[in-house]
mmCIF file of all heavy atoms in Angstrom:
data_model
loop_
_atom_site.group_PDB
_atom_site.id
_atom_site.type_symbol
_atom_site.label_atom_id
_atom_site.label_comp_id
_atom_site.label_asym_id
_atom_site.label_seq_id
_atom_site.Cartn_x
_atom_site.Cartn_y
_atom_site.Cartn_z
ATOM 1 N N ALA A 162 -8.348 5.404 -4.638
ATOM 2 C CA ALA A 162 -7.897 4.979 -5.966
ATOM 3 C C ALA A 162 -8.117 3.481 -6.133
ATOM 4 O O ALA A 162 -8.571 3.009 -7.179
ATOM 5 C CB ALA A 162 -6.419 5.322 -6.153
ATOM 6 N N GLU A 163 -7.810 2.725 -5.087
ATOM 7 C CA GLU A 163 -7.971 1.273 -5.174
ATOM 8 C C GLU A 163 -9.447 0.896 -5.282
ATOM 9 O O GLU A 163 -9.819 0.007 -6.052
ATOM 10 C CB GLU A 163 -7.321 0.592 -3.963
ATOM 11 C CG GLU A 163 -7.377 -0.910 -4.063
ATOM 12 C CD GLU A 163 -6.153 -1.614 -3.514
ATOM 13 O OE1 GLU A 163 -5.137 -0.955 -3.230
ATOM 14 O OE2 GLU A 163 -6.228 -2.844 -3.375
ATOM 15 N N HIS A 164 -10.294 1.573 -4.519
ATOM 16 C CA HIS A 164 -11.737 1.301 -4.602
ATOM 17 C C HIS A 164 -12.260 1.601 -6.010
ATOM 18 O O HIS A 164 -12.932 0.789 -6.620
ATOM 19 C CB HIS A 164 -12.508 2.193 -3.623
ATOM 20 C CG HIS A 164 -12.379 1.759 -2.191
ATOM 21 N ND1 HIS A 164 -13.168 2.258 -1.189
ATOM 22 C CD2 HIS A 164 -11.550 0.877 -1.588
ATOM 23 C CE1 HIS A 164 -12.836 1.712 -0.030
ATOM 24 N NE2 HIS A 164 -11.852 0.863 -0.247
ATOM 25 N N GLU A 165 -11.941 2.805 -6.487
ATOM 26 C CA GLU A 165 -12.617 3.301 -7.681
ATOM 27 C C GLU A 165 -11.954 2.881 -8.991
ATOM 28 O O GLU A 165 -12.614 2.768 -10.002
ATOM 29 C CB GLU A 165 -12.727 4.831 -7.604
ATOM 30 C CG GLU A 165 -13.664 5.225 -6.458
ATOM 31 C CD GLU A 165 -13.814 6.727 -6.279
ATOM 32 O OE1 GLU A 165 -13.183 7.494 -7.039
ATOM 33 O OE2 GLU A 165 -14.567 7.110 -5.364
ATOM 34 N N PHE A 166 -10.645 2.667 -8.955
ATOM 35 C CA PHE A 166 -9.959 2.317 -10.215
ATOM 36 C C PHE A 166 -9.608 0.836 -10.311
ATOM 37 O O PHE A 166 -9.505 0.296 -11.402
ATOM 38 C CB PHE A 166 -8.729 3.203 -10.421
ATOM 39 C CG PHE A 166 -9.093 4.558 -10.958
ATOM 40 C CD1 PHE A 166 -9.740 5.482 -10.151
ATOM 41 C CD2 PHE A 166 -8.848 4.884 -12.282
ATOM 42 C CE1 PHE A 166 -10.121 6.722 -10.654
ATOM 43 C CE2 PHE A 166 -9.229 6.120 -12.799
ATOM 44 C CZ PHE A 166 -9.858 7.035 -11.982
ATOM 45 N N ALA A 167 -9.411 0.175 -9.151
ATOM 46 C CA ALA A 167 -9.089 -1.252 -9.208
ATOM 47 C C ALA A 167 -10.283 -2.104 -8.768
ATOM 48 O O ALA A 167 -10.239 -3.329 -8.850
ATOM 49 C CB ALA A 167 -7.868 -1.551 -8.350
ATOM 50 N N GLY A 168 -11.336 -1.448 -8.284
ATOM 51 C CA GLY A 168 -12.547 -2.175 -7.901
ATOM 52 C C GLY A 168 -12.371 -3.080 -6.701
ATOM 53 O O GLY A 168 -13.118 -4.041 -6.523
ATOM 54 N N MET A 169 -11.383 -2.778 -5.857
ATOM 55 C CA MET A 169 -11.149 -3.612 -4.665
ATOM 56 C C MET A 169 -11.550 -2.802 -3.419
ATOM 57 O O MET A 169 -10.940 -1.768 -3.139
ATOM 58 C CB MET A 169 -9.661 -4.002 -4.648
ATOM 59 C CG MET A 169 -9.119 -4.463 -3.302
ATOM 60 S SD MET A 169 -9.795 -6.052 -2.755
ATOM 61 C CE MET A 169 -8.843 -6.285 -1.250
ATOM 62 N N PRO A 170 -12.581 -3.261 -2.700
ATOM 63 C CA PRO A 170 -13.087 -2.460 -1.574
ATOM 64 C C PRO A 170 -12.254 -2.644 -0.299
ATOM 65 O O PRO A 170 -12.763 -3.021 0.756
ATOM 66 C CB PRO A 170 -14.508 -3.007 -1.383
ATOM 67 C CG PRO A 170 -14.405 -4.443 -1.798
ATOM 68 C CD PRO A 170 -13.369 -4.482 -2.915
ATOM 69 N N CYS A 171 -10.954 -2.345 -0.415
ATOM 70 C CA CYS A 171 -10.020 -2.603 0.692
ATOM 71 C C CYS A 171 -10.254 -1.659 1.869
ATOM 72 O O CYS A 171 -10.904 -0.624 1.735
ATOM 73 C CB CYS A 171 -8.589 -2.432 0.185
ATOM 74 S SG CYS A 171 -8.252 -0.773 -0.419
ATOM 75 N N GLY A 172 -9.684 -2.037 3.010
ATOM 76 C CA GLY A 172 -9.697 -1.159 4.182
ATOM 77 C C GLY A 172 -8.551 -0.163 4.091
ATOM 78 O O GLY A 172 -8.037 0.100 2.993
ATOM 79 N N ILE A 173 -8.126 0.379 5.256
ATOM 80 C CA ILE A 173 -7.125 1.456 5.204
ATOM 81 C C ILE A 173 -5.723 1.014 5.614
ATOM 82 O O ILE A 173 -4.773 1.788 5.535
ATOM 83 C CB ILE A 173 -7.536 2.653 6.097
ATOM 84 C CG1 ILE A 173 -7.605 2.245 7.584
ATOM 85 C CG2 ILE A 173 -8.848 3.247 5.630
ATOM 86 C CD1 ILE A 173 -7.822 3.428 8.520
ATOM 87 N N MET A 174 -5.595 -0.239 6.048
ATOM 88 C CA MET A 174 -4.317 -0.671 6.622
ATOM 89 C C MET A 174 -3.117 -0.495 5.684
ATOM 90 O O MET A 174 -2.099 0.095 6.067
ATOM 91 C CB MET A 174 -4.417 -2.143 7.028
ATOM 92 C CG MET A 174 -3.069 -2.788 7.290
ATOM 93 S SD MET A 174 -3.208 -4.364 8.100
ATOM 94 C CE MET A 174 -3.820 -5.410 6.791
ATOM 95 N N ASP A 175 -3.237 -1.028 4.475
ATOM 96 C CA ASP A 175 -2.070 -1.128 3.593
ATOM 97 C C ASP A 175 -1.514 0.254 3.228
ATOM 98 O O ASP A 175 -0.307 0.493 3.289
ATOM 99 C CB ASP A 175 -2.437 -1.886 2.304
ATOM 100 C CG ASP A 175 -3.119 -3.215 2.596
ATOM 101 O OD1 ASP A 175 -3.027 -3.690 3.753
ATOM 102 O OD2 ASP A 175 -3.762 -3.756 1.684
ATOM 103 N N GLN A 176 -2.414 1.152 2.879
ATOM 104 C CA GLN A 176 -1.977 2.482 2.460
ATOM 105 C C GLN A 176 -1.428 3.268 3.649
ATOM 106 O O GLN A 176 -0.443 4.000 3.515
ATOM 107 C CB GLN A 176 -3.146 3.241 1.804
ATOM 108 C CG GLN A 176 -3.625 2.648 0.481
ATOM 109 C CD GLN A 176 -4.521 1.423 0.653
ATOM 110 O OE1 GLN A 176 -4.934 1.074 1.764
ATOM 111 N NE2 GLN A 176 -4.834 0.769 -0.457
ATOM 112 N N PHE A 177 -2.043 3.099 4.814
ATOM 113 C CA PHE A 177 -1.552 3.818 6.003
ATOM 114 C C PHE A 177 -0.121 3.424 6.332
ATOM 115 O O PHE A 177 0.719 4.270 6.595
ATOM 116 C CB PHE A 177 -2.465 3.557 7.218
ATOM 117 C CG PHE A 177 -3.504 4.616 7.392
ATOM 118 C CD1 PHE A 177 -4.514 4.765 6.453
ATOM 119 C CD2 PHE A 177 -3.479 5.493 8.468
ATOM 120 C CE1 PHE A 177 -5.473 5.759 6.589
ATOM 121 C CE2 PHE A 177 -4.426 6.490 8.604
ATOM 122 C CZ PHE A 177 -5.435 6.625 7.671
ATOM 123 N N VAL A 178 0.143 2.135 6.324
ATOM 124 C CA VAL A 178 1.484 1.719 6.749
ATOM 125 C C VAL A 178 2.523 2.010 5.674
ATOM 126 O O VAL A 178 3.678 2.313 5.974
ATOM 127 C CB VAL A 178 1.502 0.256 7.245
ATOM 128 C CG1 VAL A 178 1.271 -0.723 6.125
ATOM 129 C CG2 VAL A 178 2.796 -0.039 7.979
ATOM 130 N N SER A 179 2.120 1.976 4.405
ATOM 131 C CA SER A 179 3.073 2.312 3.349
ATOM 132 C C SER A 179 3.444 3.801 3.423
ATOM 133 O O SER A 179 4.560 4.186 3.109
ATOM 134 C CB SER A 179 2.499 1.965 1.973
ATOM 135 O OG SER A 179 3.468 2.192 0.970
ATOM 136 N N VAL A 180 2.499 4.625 3.876
ATOM 137 C CA VAL A 180 2.789 6.055 4.051
ATOM 138 C C VAL A 180 3.537 6.304 5.369
ATOM 139 O O VAL A 180 4.513 7.043 5.407
ATOM 140 C CB VAL A 180 1.476 6.895 4.051
ATOM 141 C CG1 VAL A 180 1.749 8.343 4.456
ATOM 142 C CG2 VAL A 180 0.814 6.853 2.675
ATOM 143 N N MET A 181 3.063 5.680 6.451
ATOM 144 C CA MET A 181 3.493 6.097 7.800
ATOM 145 C C MET A 181 4.460 5.157 8.501
ATOM 146 O O MET A 181 4.834 5.418 9.652
ATOM 147 C CB MET A 181 2.262 6.272 8.687
ATOM 148 C CG MET A 181 1.415 7.438 8.276
ATOM 149 S SD MET A 181 -0.136 7.378 9.175
ATOM 150 C CE MET A 181 -1.235 8.018 7.942
ATOM 151 N N GLY A 182 4.835 4.067 7.849
ATOM 152 C CA GLY A 182 5.746 3.128 8.493
ATOM 153 C C GLY A 182 7.005 3.828 8.991
ATOM 154 O O GLY A 182 7.405 4.856 8.450
ATOM 155 N N GLN A 183 7.583 3.287 10.036
ATOM 156 C CA GLN A 183 8.844 3.843 10.553
ATOM 157 C C GLN A 183 9.799 2.708 10.875
ATOM 158 O O GLN A 183 9.373 1.629 11.287
ATOM 159 C CB GLN A 183 8.582 4.646 11.819
ATOM 160 C CG GLN A 183 7.760 5.872 11.518
ATOM 161 C CD GLN A 183 8.077 7.018 12.454
ATOM 162 O OE1 GLN A 183 9.050 6.997 13.192
ATOM 163 N NE2 GLN A 183 7.230 8.026 12.407
ATOM 164 N N GLU A 184 11.078 2.999 10.702
ATOM 165 C CA GLU A 184 12.101 1.994 10.969
ATOM 166 C C GLU A 184 11.971 1.431 12.373
ATOM 167 O O GLU A 184 11.778 2.186 13.327
ATOM 168 C CB GLU A 184 13.483 2.644 10.840
ATOM 169 C CG GLU A 184 14.178 2.253 9.558
ATOM 170 C CD GLU A 184 15.500 2.964 9.407
ATOM 171 O OE1 GLU A 184 16.334 2.877 10.315
ATOM 172 O OE2 GLU A 184 15.652 3.635 8.370
ATOM 173 N N ASP A 185 12.086 0.128 12.475
ATOM 174 C CA ASP A 185 12.073 -0.570 13.769
ATOM 175 C C ASP A 185 10.776 -0.437 14.561
ATOM 176 O O ASP A 185 10.763 -0.670 15.760
ATOM 177 C CB ASP A 185 13.248 -0.113 14.644
ATOM 178 C CG ASP A 185 14.572 -0.613 14.089
ATOM 179 O OD1 ASP A 185 14.583 -1.688 13.463
ATOM 180 O OD2 ASP A 185 15.584 0.077 14.276
ATOM 181 N N GLN A 186 9.683 -0.025 13.896
ATOM 182 C CA GLN A 186 8.420 0.162 14.617
ATOM 183 C C GLN A 186 7.282 -0.584 13.916
ATOM 184 O O GLN A 186 7.153 -0.517 12.705
ATOM 185 C CB GLN A 186 8.027 1.644 14.636
ATOM 186 C CG GLN A 186 9.112 2.608 15.031
ATOM 187 C CD GLN A 186 9.342 2.668 16.527
ATOM 188 O OE1 GLN A 186 8.436 2.355 17.318
ATOM 189 N NE2 GLN A 186 10.530 3.042 16.929
ATOM 190 N N LEU A 187 6.459 -1.217 14.731
ATOM 191 C CA LEU A 187 5.173 -1.689 14.216
ATOM 192 C C LEU A 187 4.219 -0.505 14.315
ATOM 193 O O LEU A 187 4.396 0.367 15.158
ATOM 194 C CB LEU A 187 4.649 -2.845 15.068
ATOM 195 C CG LEU A 187 5.549 -4.079 15.182
ATOM 196 C CD1 LEU A 187 4.915 -5.099 16.119
ATOM 197 C CD2 LEU A 187 5.792 -4.693 13.821
ATOM 198 N N LEU A 188 3.221 -0.511 13.448
ATOM 199 C CA LEU A 188 2.258 0.594 13.465
ATOM 200 C C LEU A 188 0.926 0.044 13.989
ATOM 201 O O LEU A 188 0.231 -0.668 13.279
ATOM 202 C CB LEU A 188 2.086 1.127 12.041
ATOM 203 C CG LEU A 188 1.371 2.454 11.897
ATOM 204 C CD1 LEU A 188 2.271 3.602 12.324
ATOM 205 C CD2 LEU A 188 0.937 2.668 10.443
ATOM 206 N N LEU A 189 0.617 0.383 15.236
ATOM 207 C CA LEU A 189 -0.680 -0.018 15.785
ATOM 208 C C LEU A 189 -1.670 1.064 15.367
ATOM 209 O O LEU A 189 -1.573 2.205 15.795
ATOM 210 C CB LEU A 189 -0.600 -0.121 17.316
ATOM 211 C CG LEU A 189 -1.906 -0.484 18.025
ATOM 212 C CD1 LEU A 189 -2.392 -1.879 17.646
ATOM 213 C CD2 LEU A 189 -1.754 -0.384 19.541
ATOM 214 N N LEU A 190 -2.594 0.658 14.500
ATOM 215 C CA LEU A 190 -3.511 1.641 13.918
ATOM 216 C C LEU A 190 -4.934 1.368 14.392
ATOM 217 O O LEU A 190 -5.436 0.248 14.265
ATOM 218 C CB LEU A 190 -3.424 1.545 12.379
ATOM 219 C CG LEU A 190 -4.481 2.256 11.551
ATOM 220 C CD1 LEU A 190 -4.459 3.768 11.758
ATOM 221 C CD2 LEU A 190 -4.277 1.944 10.065
ATOM 222 N N ASP A 191 -5.533 2.389 14.949
ATOM 223 C CA ASP A 191 -6.946 2.327 15.315
ATOM 224 C C ASP A 191 -7.722 2.783 14.083
ATOM 225 O O ASP A 191 -7.710 3.968 13.739
ATOM 226 C CB ASP A 191 -7.203 3.257 16.514
ATOM 227 C CG ASP A 191 -8.662 3.239 16.950
ATOM 228 O OD1 ASP A 191 -9.533 2.875 16.129
ATOM 229 O OD2 ASP A 191 -8.939 3.596 18.110
ATOM 230 N N CYS A 192 -8.357 1.841 13.419
ATOM 231 C CA CYS A 192 -8.988 2.153 12.131
ATOM 232 C C CYS A 192 -10.266 2.973 12.300
ATOM 233 O O CYS A 192 -10.810 3.458 11.308
ATOM 234 C CB CYS A 192 -9.262 0.872 11.347
ATOM 235 S SG CYS A 192 -7.743 -0.049 11.042
ATOM 236 N N ARG A 193 -10.727 3.110 13.539
ATOM 237 C CA ARG A 193 -11.898 3.973 13.765
ATOM 238 C C ARG A 193 -11.475 5.439 13.853
ATOM 239 O O ARG A 193 -11.979 6.272 13.127
ATOM 240 C CB ARG A 193 -12.613 3.552 15.041
ATOM 241 C CG ARG A 193 -13.630 4.578 15.512
ATOM 242 C CD ARG A 193 -14.613 3.998 16.472
ATOM 243 N NE ARG A 193 -15.720 3.381 15.762
ATOM 244 C CZ ARG A 193 -16.683 2.674 16.345
ATOM 245 N NH1 ARG A 193 -16.615 2.439 17.646
ATOM 246 N NH2 ARG A 193 -17.666 2.182 15.646
ATOM 247 N N THR A 194 -10.520 5.714 14.734
ATOM 248 C CA THR A 194 -10.098 7.114 14.931
ATOM 249 C C THR A 194 -9.000 7.494 13.943
ATOM 250 O O THR A 194 -8.674 8.661 13.803
ATOM 251 C CB THR A 194 -9.535 7.315 16.343
ATOM 252 O OG1 THR A 194 -8.373 6.460 16.479
ATOM 253 C CG2 THR A 194 -10.555 6.949 17.411
ATOM 254 N N ARG A 195 -8.386 6.482 13.300
ATOM 255 C CA ARG A 195 -7.238 6.658 12.398
ATOM 256 C C ARG A 195 -6.012 7.187 13.136
ATOM 257 O O ARG A 195 -5.121 7.782 12.540
ATOM 258 C CB ARG A 195 -7.586 7.567 11.222
ATOM 259 C CG ARG A 195 -8.592 6.887 10.309
ATOM 260 C CD ARG A 195 -9.175 7.859 9.338
ATOM 261 N NE ARG A 195 -10.187 7.207 8.522
ATOM 262 C CZ ARG A 195 -11.116 7.871 7.856
ATOM 263 N NH1 ARG A 195 -11.145 9.189 7.892
ATOM 264 N NH2 ARG A 195 -12.002 7.227 7.145
ATOM 265 N N LYS A 196 -6.005 6.987 14.453
ATOM 266 C CA LYS A 196 -4.818 7.371 15.231
ATOM 267 C C LYS A 196 -3.832 6.200 15.198
ATOM 268 O O LYS A 196 -4.235 5.024 15.234
ATOM 269 C CB LYS A 196 -5.223 7.628 16.688
ATOM 270 C CG LYS A 196 -6.060 8.886 16.847
ATOM 271 C CD LYS A 196 -5.314 9.931 17.668
ATOM 272 C CE LYS A 196 -5.766 11.332 17.344
ATOM 273 N NZ LYS A 196 -7.202 11.560 17.660
ATOM 274 N N THR A 197 -2.557 6.553 15.144
ATOM 275 C CA THR A 197 -1.541 5.505 15.108
ATOM 276 C C THR A 197 -0.652 5.586 16.341
ATOM 277 O O THR A 197 -0.459 6.659 16.908
ATOM 278 C CB THR A 197 -0.645 5.647 13.867
ATOM 279 O OG1 THR A 197 -0.095 6.964 13.860
ATOM 280 C CG2 THR A 197 -1.411 5.414 12.591
ATOM 281 N N GLU A 198 -0.140 4.434 16.713
ATOM 282 C CA GLU A 198 0.783 4.386 17.827
ATOM 283 C C GLU A 198 1.940 3.503 17.384
ATOM 284 O O GLU A 198 1.723 2.443 16.802
ATOM 285 C CB GLU A 198 0.039 3.738 19.003
ATOM 286 C CG GLU A 198 0.667 3.995 20.337
ATOM 287 C CD GLU A 198 -0.106 3.243 21.428
ATOM 288 O OE1 GLU A 198 -1.364 3.343 21.483
ATOM 289 O OE2 GLU A 198 0.549 2.534 22.202
ATOM 290 N N LEU A 199 3.155 3.951 17.649
ATOM 291 C CA LEU A 199 4.305 3.147 17.242
ATOM 292 C C LEU A 199 4.630 2.149 18.342
ATOM 293 O O LEU A 199 4.670 2.498 19.513
ATOM 294 C CB LEU A 199 5.503 4.050 16.964
ATOM 295 C CG LEU A 199 5.293 5.045 15.820
ATOM 296 C CD1 LEU A 199 6.454 6.023 15.738
ATOM 297 C CD2 LEU A 199 5.112 4.307 14.497
ATOM 298 N N VAL A 200 4.837 0.907 17.943
ATOM 299 C CA VAL A 200 5.208 -0.137 18.895
ATOM 300 C C VAL A 200 6.607 -0.628 18.492
ATOM 301 O O VAL A 200 6.749 -1.284 17.459
ATOM 302 C CB VAL A 200 4.192 -1.305 18.870
ATOM 303 C CG1 VAL A 200 4.591 -2.396 19.848
ATOM 304 C CG2 VAL A 200 2.781 -0.798 19.165
ATOM 305 N N PRO A 201 7.625 -0.299 19.287
ATOM 306 C CA PRO A 201 8.991 -0.652 18.881
ATOM 307 C C PRO A 201 9.188 -2.156 18.773
ATOM 308 O O PRO A 201 8.739 -2.902 19.645
ATOM 309 C CB PRO A 201 9.871 -0.091 20.010
ATOM 310 C CG PRO A 201 9.006 0.841 20.780
ATOM 311 C CD PRO A 201 7.591 0.426 20.569
ATOM 312 N N LEU A 202 9.816 -2.573 17.687
ATOM 313 C CA LEU A 202 10.198 -3.981 17.548
ATOM 314 C C LEU A 202 11.724 -3.967 17.436
ATOM 315 O O LEU A 202 12.284 -3.963 16.343
ATOM 316 C CB LEU A 202 9.553 -4.595 16.300
ATOM 317 C CG LEU A 202 9.798 -6.098 16.118
ATOM 318 C CD1 LEU A 202 9.104 -6.899 17.212
ATOM 319 C CD2 LEU A 202 9.297 -6.574 14.765
ATOM 320 N N THR A 203 12.366 -3.893 18.582
ATOM 321 C CA THR A 203 13.810 -3.640 18.591
ATOM 322 C C THR A 203 14.597 -4.731 19.295
ATOM 323 O O THR A 203 15.807 -4.634 19.398
ATOM 324 C CB THR A 203 14.100 -2.287 19.281
ATOM 325 O OG1 THR A 203 13.317 -2.223 20.470
ATOM 326 C CG2 THR A 203 13.749 -1.121 18.395
ATOM 327 N N ASP A 204 13.897 -5.772 19.778
ATOM 328 C CA ASP A 204 14.606 -6.871 20.440
ATOM 329 C C ASP A 204 15.595 -7.478 19.431
ATOM 330 O O ASP A 204 15.182 -8.023 18.407
ATOM 331 C CB ASP A 204 13.586 -7.920 20.891
ATOM 332 C CG ASP A 204 14.220 -9.008 21.753
ATOM 333 O OD1 ASP A 204 15.429 -9.284 21.564
ATOM 334 O OD2 ASP A 204 13.505 -9.576 22.586
ATOM 335 N N PRO A 205 16.899 -7.371 19.699
ATOM 336 C CA PRO A 205 17.867 -7.853 18.699
ATOM 337 C C PRO A 205 17.807 -9.365 18.484
ATOM 338 O O PRO A 205 18.344 -9.864 17.496
ATOM 339 C CB PRO A 205 19.220 -7.439 19.285
ATOM 340 C CG PRO A 205 18.971 -7.215 20.739
ATOM 341 C CD PRO A 205 17.529 -6.847 20.910
ATOM 342 N N ALA A 206 17.146 -10.074 19.377
ATOM 343 C CA ALA A 206 17.089 -11.537 19.241
ATOM 344 C C ALA A 206 15.906 -12.007 18.404
ATOM 345 O O ALA A 206 15.761 -13.204 18.160
ATOM 346 C CB ALA A 206 17.036 -12.173 20.631
ATOM 347 N N VAL A 207 15.051 -11.062 17.970
ATOM 348 C CA VAL A 207 13.811 -11.460 17.280
ATOM 349 C C VAL A 207 13.779 -10.913 15.851
ATOM 350 O O VAL A 207 14.114 -9.759 15.609
ATOM 351 C CB VAL A 207 12.581 -10.959 18.078
ATOM 352 C CG1 VAL A 207 11.294 -11.212 17.322
ATOM 353 C CG2 VAL A 207 12.537 -11.635 19.443
ATOM 354 N N GLU A 208 13.381 -11.751 14.928
ATOM 355 C CA GLU A 208 13.278 -11.342 13.515
ATOM 356 C C GLU A 208 11.873 -11.641 12.978
ATOM 357 O O GLU A 208 11.208 -12.565 13.437
ATOM 358 C CB GLU A 208 14.260 -12.146 12.648
ATOM 359 C CG GLU A 208 15.715 -11.839 12.894
ATOM 360 C CD GLU A 208 16.259 -10.712 12.027
ATOM 361 O OE1 GLU A 208 15.462 -9.866 11.571
ATOM 362 O OE2 GLU A 208 17.482 -10.707 11.822
ATOM 363 N N VAL A 209 11.491 -10.876 11.958
ATOM 364 C CA VAL A 209 10.237 -11.139 11.251
ATOM 365 C C VAL A 209 10.594 -11.886 9.971
ATOM 366 O O VAL A 209 11.353 -11.391 9.140
ATOM 367 C CB VAL A 209 9.515 -9.820 10.913
ATOM 368 C CG1 VAL A 209 8.262 -10.097 10.099
ATOM 369 C CG2 VAL A 209 9.180 -9.057 12.192
ATOM 370 N N LEU A 210 10.046 -13.088 9.822
ATOM 371 C CA LEU A 210 10.306 -13.902 8.637
ATOM 372 C C LEU A 210 9.029 -13.965 7.799
ATOM 373 O O LEU A 210 7.959 -14.273 8.323
ATOM 374 C CB LEU A 210 10.733 -15.318 9.058
ATOM 375 C CG LEU A 210 10.963 -16.321 7.929
ATOM 376 C CD1 LEU A 210 12.159 -15.930 7.061
ATOM 377 C CD2 LEU A 210 11.177 -17.739 8.499
ATOM 378 N N ILE A 211 9.171 -13.651 6.524
ATOM 379 C CA ILE A 211 8.014 -13.660 5.624
ATOM 380 C C ILE A 211 8.152 -14.864 4.699
ATOM 381 O O ILE A 211 9.206 -15.072 4.091
ATOM 382 C CB ILE A 211 7.949 -12.333 4.847
ATOM 383 C CG1 ILE A 211 7.669 -11.196 5.847
ATOM 384 C CG2 ILE A 211 6.875 -12.367 3.760
ATOM 385 C CD1 ILE A 211 8.118 -9.851 5.398
ATOM 386 N N ILE A 212 7.097 -15.654 4.640
ATOM 387 C CA ILE A 212 7.142 -16.901 3.878
ATOM 388 C C ILE A 212 6.081 -16.827 2.779
ATOM 389 O O ILE A 212 4.881 -16.789 3.058
ATOM 390 C CB ILE A 212 6.845 -18.110 4.799
ATOM 391 C CG1 ILE A 212 7.808 -18.106 5.985
ATOM 392 C CG2 ILE A 212 6.916 -19.426 4.021
ATOM 393 C CD1 ILE A 212 7.132 -18.214 7.323
ATOM 394 N N ASN A 213 6.534 -16.790 1.545
ATOM 395 C CA ASN A 213 5.600 -16.703 0.416
ATOM 396 C C ASN A 213 5.241 -18.119 -0.042
ATOM 397 O O ASN A 213 6.120 -18.889 -0.428
ATOM 398 C CB ASN A 213 6.250 -15.902 -0.714
ATOM 399 C CG ASN A 213 5.242 -15.457 -1.756
ATOM 400 O OD1 ASN A 213 4.161 -16.044 -1.873
ATOM 401 N ND2 ASN A 213 5.581 -14.436 -2.516
#
Side-chain angles (χ1 to χ4, degrees):
E163 184 144 349
H164 285 192
E165 293 179 0
F166 280 71
M169 161 68 176
C171 61
I173 63 172
M174 165 167 73
D175 309 344
Q176 294 79 8
F177 265 67
V178 69
S179 185
V180 171
M181 292 170 215
Q183 294 211 12
E184 255 177 55
D185 290 330
Q186 312 281 336
L187 302 177
L188 193 74
L189 178 64
L190 168 62
D191 180 338
C192 301
R193 167 162 274 173
T194 62
R195 292 167 183 161
K196 290 245 154 62
T197 55
E198 198 183 311
L199 298 172
V200 179
L202 185 67
T203 45
D204 188 331
V207 174
E208 292 270 24
V209 176
L210 177 66
I211 294 156
I212 305 128
N213 195 339

